[in-house]
Every structure is written in C-alpha cells, then in structure tokens.
Amino acid sequence: MTVRTTKAAKYAIIGAGIHGLSTAYHLAQMLKATGRGSGEDILVIDKTSIGGGASGIACGVVRNNYYQPAMRELMAHSVEVWESDPKAYSYHPVGYMQISPEVMHEQVGTIYEQQKAIGYESTFIEGAADCQKYMLGLFDDWQAKGITSVLHEKRGGYANNTASLYGLANKAEAEGVRILSGVEVKGFEYGSNSGAVTGIHTNQGLISCEVVVVGVGPWVIKIWDMLDLPRAINIKDLNGDVHENVPMWKFWCLEEGTLGVDPNMHKTNDGKMPPVIHVDTDAPLYSDVDGSLITDKLWGLYYKPDFNFGGIQGGASPYKVEQDPYDVALDPYGPDSPDFIVGDDFIHMWCSMLAHCQKRFEGKIGLYKHKEKSGGLGCFTPDNFPVFDTFRENVYVIADSNHGYKMIGVGKLVAQELMGERSRLLEPFRFGRFAKGELHPTSHSPFPWS
Ligand SMILES: Cc1cc2nc3c(=O)[nH]c(=O)nc-3n(C[C@H](O)[C@H](O)[C@H](O)COP(=O)(O)OP(=O)(O)OC[C@H]3O[C@@H](n4cnc5c(N)ncnc54)[C@H](O)[C@@H]3O)c2cc1C
C-alpha cells in the first residue's frame, strides 16, 4: 500500500486523555526550559477528540488511599500537580474518606502510618464507637454499619473530567503543541536496522516521528497488538512460583451513576462541601425499596455531590468482563456502548448503599438519572497495577490499568523520562516486574484498584 506522508513530529503522542495531554504539556515546558525544543515538536493525535476515552467519563475522584507504597507516592505527586492550578484543572480539594470494616482495619492503618511518613495529611479514627462519633460530627444522619476505621485524607477530592482535560489541552496548545482529532492509529512502521518505530500509519496517512507515547486508556490492548507485544506473559509471584501464559490484558466494567437530587442536600453539618466518601463494609446490604437482602458479602461504594453531573455522583465495585478480551466491543465507548452501561440492578444496589450510609438518601431511588447512560470499560494488567515503560526502543507506553484520571502527574514524570532522567516514582511500574516477581502487595479491598 502506498501511503501519503501527511504529518511529521519529533514526539507523536497517541491519545488526548489525561496521560497524553499531561505528557504533552509537561514535555513542552521541559523542552523549552532546557533549550532543546518546544511544544511545536509535539503532536497529539486522537481517533475521536479530547476526552473521547475514559478520562472524559471518569468520576474524577482524586485520592491517595492505596495499600501499595509505590502507588501512594505516585498519587501524592499527582495531588501536587492538581493543587498547582486548581482553577485550570477544575479541581475541588474537598478531601477523601476511606471508611472501612474490621477486615480492612489493619491494612488501612498501615496506609495512615505511611501517609504520615511521606507528609500526606490525614486523620485515622479507630473503633466502632469513635468512628460513629466522628462521622456524626460530619453528617448528623450517618448510619452505615460495620465500620471500625475511618481514614480521612485532608488532601485530594475530585475534579470535573472534561473541564480538566480542556484545561490541560489549553496549557499544551499555549506551549505550541498541536492536537489533532479524528486521526486513528492503524499500525506502525519500523526502521530497517532496528525495531524502533519510525512512523505511525493512520487513517490520515503516515506520520513520521522519532518518539512515540501511547496514552490510549482501554484501547491499549489494540496498540499493544500493533506493536507485536505479547498477549500472554510469565509471572513470578511473591512466593517465587512462576505462572506461565498469563493473559496480559483483561477488562473490568466500571459502574457509576447519578442520583438526581440537588447537590446542596449533601453538605456537612457546618454547611461545607463534604469530602468524597468511600465506604466498604461487610454489614448486610438491604434494599431501600422492599427491604430484601441484596448482599451479605463485603461491598463498597463511593459518592460526592457534583454540580457537573447534577446530583450525587458515584459508583460501586466494578465487575470483571468474562468475555475473551480480544472479542470485547470497545467501540462505541462509555455511555454510547450498548453493552457496558449500568442497568437496573446497579441502580437498585447503589441507591440502597447510599441509603445504608446516610438517612438523607432513603427513598430517593425514584430520582436516579435513568436517562443519562453511565459506566465504562477499563483495561487492566495482570496484577491490576500500571505499566509505564519503553518498548521497541522508542515507544513509551502509559498503561494505567484504569487507576489513571487522578494520576495527572504521571505525564510530568514520563516527560522527565523522555528528557533522559529516570523517575524513581515510575520505577516500580516497569514491565519487567512480572518476570522478576517484583509485584505490589495486594489489599483486602473489594475494589481491584485499591
Ligand atoms: C466510568 C469510569 C470512571 C472512572 N473514574 C475514575 C476516577 O474517579 N478517578 C480516577 O483516578 N480514575 C477513574 N477512572 C479511570 C480513568 O478514567 C482512566 O484510568 C484514565 O482516564 C485513562 O486515561 P488515558 O489518558 O490513559 O486514556 P483515555 O482517557 O481513555 O484516552 C485515550 C484516548 O486515546 C484515543 N485512542 C484510542 N485508540 C486510538 C487509536 N488507535 N488512534 C488514535 N487515538 C486512539 C481515544 O479516542 C481516547 O480519547 C474511571 C474510568 C471509568 C471508565
């Protein structure tokens, strides 16, 4: 096939989501500061548009709460980036609360200890009675059961998904970065003497480039294939046992929605906007509609009042997509998908969870925003943690394993690496950890991303 060369760029970034845009902006700044170039050396391409992927539908929660020390350090760095320009990033620093049952008490305690060690401000409350008192001090209708620890992170909060992406895109464009919508990557061209990529085949022709950054969110499975990277890998576990042929990618479906009430109805007792609330509990969950038992297993939810979504927005644990990941229909994505949007079961469960936690949500299921479709796919690595690494000599892959909207700082660290400086914070997320058995510890949380 003869291909037209339509564009050329020293740095070609695939994907105009949080990672592609953050990398572009920070790289442009660093090129200029060092006299090694400018934003004009950077081209961002996206098959749809800015925010056409997971970043554009993310709930937008920004937290530090992770059981894995390397994730916590990375999140603390990202929170600094959010705090650096809250207006442009549409960031609301209301804080975040992890409210947990006894089975998670000890692990959350270690998170608190390590937050102290890295200077990340938080309060830790222990014991059922003290937790109840603390929560009633914030919300006089608090009634969640089975809670024995509360970690209250004073930093973090949430940001408005699309607004923050446009904030980033504006900053990048002001540095001279070009962002092209409607350009879909179809394959790569390699050098004759090396495996390095020299060009990107797109629906608009060939784009020649020296460095490629891949920030394609859930579509990473497709670009990974185009780069001829392995569909299955060997993994050494923490006991030293090797598991052969483990699939590299799997999908989970995130379930989120909005209760269409006035967001002002969920303020703290002193009239302030509340922290983002995340509750996990093993107390039985009963229907707020008919009192029937929904589950007696560990369950969890998160929520926040959000004027952007127009109500109380949040979600519950995702479910694993059992289909072969290569058969999963990624497009149309998010709310436009016929398959991966929430249904009545989620709505019934999540509204009952809200009512379990706070009396003000009892009997409100009728106000759920049925007409606005929600939910979306995330593509996860074998250990559910990100891979940030270089492949084929000059292709930097940012595969965030769906942890990523909050990780606005990753693009800054990736830009540093592209400038030749290894990042200590990204080191624990290399692809080589699977073969070496350098895996991250796992938590008791019901969520695959905690
Ligand atoms: C429903 C939902 C809620 C979430 N909530 C949160 C949250 O509250 N907090 C949080 O931290 N994380 C959250 N996440 C996870 C987070 O959204 C993702 O981890 C993150 O946004 C991924 O960012 P990205 O830049 O890698 O990819 P994306 O934002 O998915 O962007 C990738 C872009 O690449 C483009 N693209 C794909 N393939 C090609 C191709 N072949 N050629 C050209 N362009 C291509 C797409 O069009 C897309 O615009 C949520 C995810 C979902 C699905």
Side-chain angles (χ1 to χ4, degrees):
M1 185 174 70
T2 318
V3 237
R4 211 162 26 101
T5 300
T6 54
K7 304 276 174 326
K10 184 165 180 193
Y11 299 95
I13 299 182
I14 311 170
I18 196 85
H19 298 309
L21 293 172
S22 176
T23 305
Y25 167 54
H26 290 104
L27 181 60
Q29 280 191 316
M30 289 174 201
L31 287 169
K32 188 163 76 180
T34 54
R36 287 164 57 184
S38 74
E40 289 177 14
D41 299 319
I42 304 168
L43 175 68
V44 180
I45 53 175
D46 198 294
K47 72 186 177 73
T48 50
S49 59
I50 292 168
S55 309
I57 58 169
C59 170
V61 173
V62 176
R63 65 184 161 107
N64 180 270
N65 170 47
Y66 271 98
Y67 180 56
Q68 302 71 25
M71 288 296 281
R72 262 197 313 276
E73 280 204 79
L74 198 55
M75 298 310 154
H77 170 268
S78 277
V79 169
E80 277 170 25
V81 176
W82 286 110
E83 289 170 348
S84 70
D85 194 347
K87 194 160 174 247
Y89 297 141
S90 206
Y91 171 59
H92 306 276
V94 291
Y96 173 89
M97 299 184 85
Q98 168 66 49
I99 299 161
S100 315
E102 192 52 25
V103 66
M104 292 171 64
H105 183 162
E106 194 184 330
Q107 288 192 341
V108 180
T110 67
I111 296 174
Y112 168 65
E113 288 304 326
Q114 290 168 28
Q115 284 179 340
K116 267 200 298 192
I118 61 170
Y120 196 88
E121 197 194 339
S122 60
T123 302
F124 191 49
I125 321 296
E126 296 174 89
D130 283 355
C131 288
Q132 181 67 4
K133 193 168 154 212
Y134 189 83
M135 292 311 297
L136 283 172
L138 280 174
F139 306 108
D140 55 16
D141 64 338
W142 185 260
Q143 56 188 15
K145 296 173 191 64
I147 302 303
T148 63
S149 74
V150 172
L151 178 69
H152 186 169
E153 297 181 357
K154 300 302 167 68
R155 293 167 71 191
Y158 70 100
N160 302 119
N161 51 30
T162 320
S164 61
L165 296 176
Y166 277 93
L168 258 180
N170 290 340
K171 281 172 181 270
E173 284 179 332
E175 295 285 338
V177 172
R178 288 165 296 159
I179 303 173
L180 293 183
S181 300
V183 182
E184 179 166 6
V185 174
K186 304 278 192 185
F188 295 95
E189 187 148 286
Y190 300 98
S192 44
N193 298 322
S194 75
V197 168
T198 54
I200 304 177
H201 293 292
T202 76
N203 60 342
Q204 307 283 331
L206 182 72
I207 299 173
S208 52
C209 56
E210 293 175 28
V211 176
V212 180
V213 178
V214 177
V216 293
W219 291 269
V220 65
I221 187 169
K222 292 185 187 276
I223 300 282
W224 189 261
D225 255 14
M226 290 179 205
L227 289 165
D228 283 334
L229 293 168
R231 284 188 172 194
I233 59 171
N234 292 348
I235 301 183
K236 193 192 274 188
D237 66 22
L238 291 170
N239 300 320
D241 297 325
V242 176
H243 304 259
E244 294 186 347
N245 264 322
V246 180
M248 183 62 206
W249 304 109
K250 58 184 177 283
F251 285 103
W252 288 70
C253 184
L254 281 87
E255 300 209 285
E256 294 193 343
T258 305
L259 192 64
V261 292
D262 178 357
N264 285 306
M265 65 93 81
H266 179 40
K267 284 190 169 164
T268 54
N269 295 341
D270 57 2
K272 296 205 179 104
M273 291 316 285
V276 175
I277 302 292
H278 181 120
V279 178
D280 294 311
T281 178
D282 45 18
L285 175 66
Y286 295 102
S287 163
D288 188 44
V289 179
D290 58 18
S292 60
L293 179 71
I294 296 179
T295 182
D296 55 4
K297 308 261 170 1
L298 189 63
W299 56 268
L301 93 162
Y302 48 94
Y303 58 98
K304 57 178 162 53
D306 193 317
F307 292 89
N308 190 38
F309 282 97
I312 304 300
Q313 196 271 347
S317 309
Y319 66 86
K320 196 171 174 183
V321 177
E322 296 298 346
Q323 233 175 327
D324 182 327
Y326 296 91
D327 294 337
V328 169
L330 263 166
D331 294 291
Y333 183 71
D336 299 328
S337 164
D339 307 317
F340 300 109
I341 46 169
V342 303
D344 290 345
D345 285 354
F346 164 81
I347 296 164
H348 179 208
M349 177 183 74
W350 186 67
C351 291
S352 299
M353 289 171 167
L354 284 171
H356 175 103
C357 294
Q358 293 190 250
K359 197 166 181 53
R360 71 190 73 181
F361 298 124
E362 285 181 2
K364 295 281 191 296
I365 190 168
L367 298 172
Y368 183 89
K369 288 194 161 187
H370 281 270
K371 286 198 184 124
E372 291 174 17
K373 304 291 173 218
S374 56
L377 289 169
C379 190
F380 288 70
T381 63
D383 65 356
N384 296 335
F385 292 107
V387 168
F388 306 124
D389 214 338
T390 304
F391 298 87
R392 294 199 157 266
E393 299 178 32
N394 63 346
V395 181
Y396 201 113
V397 176
I398 304 173
D400 75 1
S401 203
N402 201 72
H403 290 272
Y405 175 80
K406 67 182 85 58
M407 298 198 297
I408 194 172
V410 163
K412 186 172 181 184
L413 300 171
V414 169
Q416 274 166 18
E417 296 213 311
L418 295 173
M419 297 293 291
E421 194 188 314
R422 296 283 282 191
S423 161
R424 181 184 66 80
L425 293 181
L426 296 186
E427 212 56 58
F429 301 100
R430 305 298 183 208
F431 181 60
R433 73 171 181 274
F434 297 117
K436 290 189 210 150
E438 293 169 357
L439 303 181
H440 298 274
T442 48
S443 78
H444 294 316
S445 158
F447 290 78
W449 56 68
S450 286

